[in-house]
Amino acid sequence: MQATKADIIKVVSNANDITELDRIFHLLSHSEVPAVAYSLGERGLISQLLCPKFGGALVYGAMEGNSIPGLPTLDSLREAYKVENINSDTKVFGLVSKPVSHSKGPILHNPAFRHANFNGIYVPMFVDDLKEFFEVYASPDFAGYSVGFPYKEAVVQFCDEVHPLAKSIGAVNTIIRKPSDGKLIGYNTDCEGSIASIEDALKDQRYINGASLNSPLAGKQFVVVGAGGAGRAIAVGAKSRGARVIIFDIDLAPKDFMREIVLAKF
């Protein structure tokens, strides 16, 4: 294609896995002429969003009211992602999940990065195979991840280190890559984030139980629907505050799970 002496070359693929996009990023960063390269579908979305980081000539966006799977809207490119600010030094963060299109993360984290004057971008990552994903995207450029359904428990084995709270829960929802050695460190923020929010809401409604220093959850019956990664975190957090935890789930072994909660270290 370069031999045709075209001013810009364009390559479009249809990725079956997000790891295939690494070839696109390699092509863009090594092309001797201006190039546009991306992949279609939800698994290919980051090939559009990260195109400027790897030297792509331009990014495509869909017009409002004309949704195309895997193609960001023009408004999101301008407002949420601010693609004009992305460059080779931009650090990449994202939500590892399946599915991922429902995520509101980009409209929360990207403005926060800009507010902190941090050169980073937060993108949705539709991941099918965790092992292959972490092997392919091992560059320091991929600096951290949120972890969503259904991977919060499975991702623990791919972390080089796991924070004690996350280890006691058995689930990770946040991963940071250490700049010094590239190790992946797993954390769990679901536990404190969820429980603290519930406590704040109860305090606002004056549902205070006992002394002011006690959690308003102490002695309360606390019902958790679901026993996945987020459910585990919330159950452990409620138990640590002295709540009586009841768990509803489709395929739960209740005795084993409750035993894990009782034995969790805080």
Side-chain angles (χ1 to χ4, degrees):
M1 292 175 71
Q2 289 182 172
T4 66
K5 301 190 183 301
D7 293 314
I8 300 177
I9 62 173
K10 177 181 175 181
V11 178
V12 182
S13 68
N14 193 357
N16 294 312
D17 192 282
I18 194 171
T19 56
E20 297 174 16
L21 306 181
D22 184 56
R23 304 174 194 173
I24 289 178
F25 300 144
H26 185 270
L27 182 153
L28 288 172
S29 59
H30 290 81
S31 178
E32 297 176 2
V33 298
V36 178
Y38 63 91
S39 186
L40 302 172
E42 193 173 5
R43 290 170 176 82
L45 177 59
I46 66 168
S47 66
Q48 288 277 3
L49 299 175
L50 300 183
C51 188
K53 174 175 173 61
F54 295 100
L58 57 87
V59 179
Y60 285 88
M63 300 287 287
E64 291 299 324
N66 185 29
S67 177
I68 300 172
L71 194 65
T73 65
L74 289 175
D75 281 351
S76 70
L77 290 172
R78 293 192 187 108
E79 301 301 325
Y81 297 105
K82 294 283 187 185
V83 290
E84 67 272 19
N85 296 333
I86 300 172
N87 56 42
S88 59
D89 294 326
T90 301
K91 294 296 184 183
V92 179
F93 300 81
L95 171 64
V96 173
S97 187
K98 179 182 178 181
V100 76
S101 59
H102 63 283
S103 174
K104 305 299 183 186
I107 63 176
L108 171 67
H109 294 292
N110 287 312
F113 285 155
R114 293 193 290 272
H115 181 75
N117 198 30
F118 179 80
N119 187 7
I121 182 172
Y122 186 94
V123 297
M125 297 173 167
F126 191 116
V127 175
D128 293 285
D129 186 309
L130 288 174
K131 183 176 185 294
E132 190 172 358
F133 174 80
F134 287 117
E135 286 176 351
V136 170
Y137 295 109
S139 160
D141 282 337
F142 291 83
Y145 309 97
S146 305
V147 183
F149 178 85
Y151 295 130
K152 294 188 179 189
E153 295 167 89
V155 80
V156 173
Q157 65 180 297
F158 300 102
C159 296
D160 297 296
E161 299 175 20
V162 180
H163 185 273
L165 176 61
K167 188 176 292 186
S168 71
I169 293 169
V172 160
N173 77 324
T174 302
I175 297 176
I176 296 297
R177 188 184 303 279
K178 288 176 67 175
S180 58
D181 56 16
K183 287 185 176 180
L184 299 176
I185 315 301
Y187 300 89
N188 191 298
T189 63
D190 283 333
C191 180
E192 282 302 310
S194 300
I195 296 302
S197 297
I198 294 170
E199 287 178 322
D200 288 345
L202 290 174
K203 289 174 183 176
D204 288 345
Q205 296 176 37
R206 303 185 184 281
Y207 291 136
I208 305 298
N209 185 54
S212 60
L213 295 178
N214 289 349
S215 168
L217 292 176
K220 294 287 196 301
Q221 181 169 290
F222 192 100
V223 178
V224 180
V225 180
R232 295 175 70 94
I234 294 170
V236 168
K239 184 72 178 177
S240 74
R241 301 302 208 272
R244 293 177 288 111
V245 179
I246 298 176
I247 301 168
F248 290 90
D249 195 65
I250 295 172
D251 53 359
L252 175 68
K255 290 183 179 178
D256 292 341
F257 186 50
M258 283 306 298
R259 182 173 179 274
E260 290 180 30
I261 293 174
V262 171
L263 295 179
K265 306 292 186 185
F266 300 102

